[in-house]
Structures are given as structure tokens and as C-alpha cells.
Amino acid sequence: MIEDKRWEKVYSFEDSPFIMEILTQLRDKNTGSIAFRKGLVKLGRYMAYEITKTMETETVKVETPLEETEGIIVKDRRNVVIVTVLRAAIPLMEGLIKVFEHARVGIVSAVRGKAPKFEIEMDYVKIPQIKPEDTVIVADPMIATGSTLTKVLEEVKKYGEPKRTIIVGVLAAPEGITKIKSKFPDVEIFVAKIDRELDDKGYILPGLGDAGDRAFGEPLKLTTLPQVHYIE
């Protein structure tokens, strides 16, 4: 885990060969949907393992079959709320919840409009009550312009003040991180890698394309369907 000195509380996993290998597979344009989803699940799981290193622990006594010894429990692991940004974050959440199995889960549907405004449409929000002892993890694979996540974080704040708020993603652009940190300086960001820049359409470069489309298939635009004529 590497802290990026350009911002506070922003971390990447470029020092992890295993995570970088998964990312390489996700970047490959020839990786199919099944392998892409499995890769997101793996990343969610292993990034969650890394995040537990930053959580509060407690020393406990435990009886082995032979004698008493000391162990630890990760206290914060039992107080987690995962907010999933549809649809691309579903496999990422699946990996996270394998480590944070006690987590309560929120769902947000957020769609980013086209350049240059990148307006956000949010038409579905279901988030559980957030308690002072909670760690909120917002899962979204791509931190591009930061517009979507800024809007999501504004919504999350309505449900309570947590102990920590963390964003977990696969890739981030510097522009998106800067936008988020300018409005939410205390938010922590964990991504596999921070890429170079955004293109004029708001895509991360070199990136991996549209994570939602690659995981679940490109949605059908109904206006492209052939017209059907009914004869009475």
C-alpha cells in the first residue's frame, strides 16, 4: 500500500504484484465479461484485506486445545456500511463483503451525463442508518471526473456521521481525486492504481473502458430497435 503524496489519505496498491496482475487482466480489451467480473470480485476481496490493516484492533484471550494465549479481533470490521454504486460496483462489493461479512449494504443508482457538464442523475437511493462507530465504504470501480462520487458522498452524509468514510475503486484519475478531496478532505481513497489523466469525454487513460459495460454487457438502446408494425 502506497500513500500518494499529492493528496492526504489517498492510497494505491501498485506495490502489490498480485493486484497489478488482476488489473492487467481487467485492462486487456480481450478479457470477457465473466473474467472481468471475477477480476473485480478478487480486487474487492484483496483490497478489503489491505484495508483491515488500517482498522482498530483489540487484544483478546483465547483458549487453544493446549493452553491460553492472546489473539486479536478487528473491531472496525464489525461496523461497516458498504455503499454500492450501480451497476459496475456490484462485483467489487461482492469481494468486499467476503471480508466484511457483517456489513450493512446501501445501493445508489447514479448515472453520469455527457461532457462537458457531466451532470449526475441519481434516481434510486437505499442507504441504512449510519452510526458514529461505522466505517462507510463507497464502492465504485472508476474514479474519473469525481462528479458521481461527490454526489454520492453528499447523499451518504444525510444518513449519519461515521467514524471513517472510504472510497474503494479500481482506477482513478488525478482530476477526480482532486475534485473529491476539495469537497471532502477527510475521505480516504483506496485504488489499485492512479492512472495518467482523463480524455475529453471523461474516460480514464489508459484506463480499462466502461467497467459496467465490460462486466455486464453494453445496454441496448431501445431507439435502435427496428420498428414493429401491427396489422389488424
Side-chain angles (χ1 to χ4, degrees):
M1 188 188 308
I2 303 170
E3 184 171 8
D4 195 301
K5 300 304 181 184
R6 290 174 287 181
W7 308 275
E8 291 186 1
K9 302 179 182 179
V10 176
Y11 307 90
S12 71
F13 297 100
E14 297 176 48
D15 58 338
S16 168
F18 182 70
I19 289 178
M20 289 300 97
E21 181 179 337
I22 299 170
L23 177 59
T24 300
Q25 184 183 29
L26 293 177
R27 287 196 195 272
D28 188 342
K29 67 179 182 180
N30 296 312
T31 298
S33 292
I34 295 173
F36 194 90
R37 289 195 300 269
K38 287 183 177 180
L40 288 178
V41 173
K42 286 180 184 177
L43 274 186
R45 186 170 190 167
Y46 285 96
M47 289 171 74
Y49 289 148
E50 293 293 324
I51 289 169
T52 62
K53 296 178 182 178
T54 72
M55 289 181 158
E56 185 179 347
T57 61
E58 179 182 351
T59 302
V60 296
K61 298 290 186 181
V62 61
E63 288 282 349
T64 79
L66 301 176
E67 64 181 23
E68 184 182 90
T69 188
E70 287 189 346
I72 67 163
I73 59 171
V74 184
K75 292 175 62 178
D76 290 344
R77 199 172 67 85
R78 286 153 177 78
N79 298 294
V80 171
V81 176
I82 300 174
V83 178
T84 307
V85 181
L86 296 178
R87 61 183 167 142
I90 293 172
L92 197 62
M93 180 272 289
E94 183 182 340
L96 290 166
I97 211 165
K98 289 180 185 295
V99 176
F100 303 117
E101 69 272 16
H102 303 283
R104 308 182 316 275
V105 177
I107 301 289
V108 176
S109 173
V111 179
R112 189 187 74 183
K114 294 181 180 180
K117 293 185 178 180
F118 298 116
E119 293 179 347
I120 305 302
E121 180 182 339
M122 189 179 296
D123 56 13
Y124 184 88
V125 177
K126 293 289 184 182
I127 298 174
Q129 181 182 357
I130 295 170
K131 303 172 183 177
E133 65 269 24
D134 286 335
T135 295
V136 172
I137 300 176
V138 180
D140 191 3
M142 310 298 283
I143 305 173
T145 66
S147 300
T148 300
L149 282 167
T150 299
K151 190 80 171 177
V152 170
L153 290 170
E154 289 171 354
E155 193 68 27
V156 168
K157 282 180 68 68
K158 299 176 184 177
Y159 293 82
E161 290 291 334
K163 179 178 181 180
R164 297 170 68 188
T165 300
I166 295 171
I167 294 172
V168 173
V170 178
L171 292 175
E175 297 93 325
I177 295 175
T178 298
K179 180 170 185 173
I180 293 167
K181 296 296 285 185
S182 68
K183 294 191 175 184
F184 299 96
D186 292 330
V187 167
E188 303 165 52
I189 299 175
F190 292 80
V191 292
K193 193 175 192 307
I194 300 170
D195 266 358
R196 187 178 71 250
E197 61 186 355
L198 295 176
D199 68 10
D200 56 3
K201 294 182 180 179
Y203 283 96
I204 299 173
L205 296 175
L208 50 76
D210 187 306
D213 288 357
R214 294 199 61 194
F216 298 106
E218 188 174 348
L220 178 65
K221 295 179 175 61
L222 293 179
T223 54
T224 64
L225 287 172
Q227 296 296 315
V228 178
H229 300 280
Y230 294 95
I231 300 175
E232 294 182 357

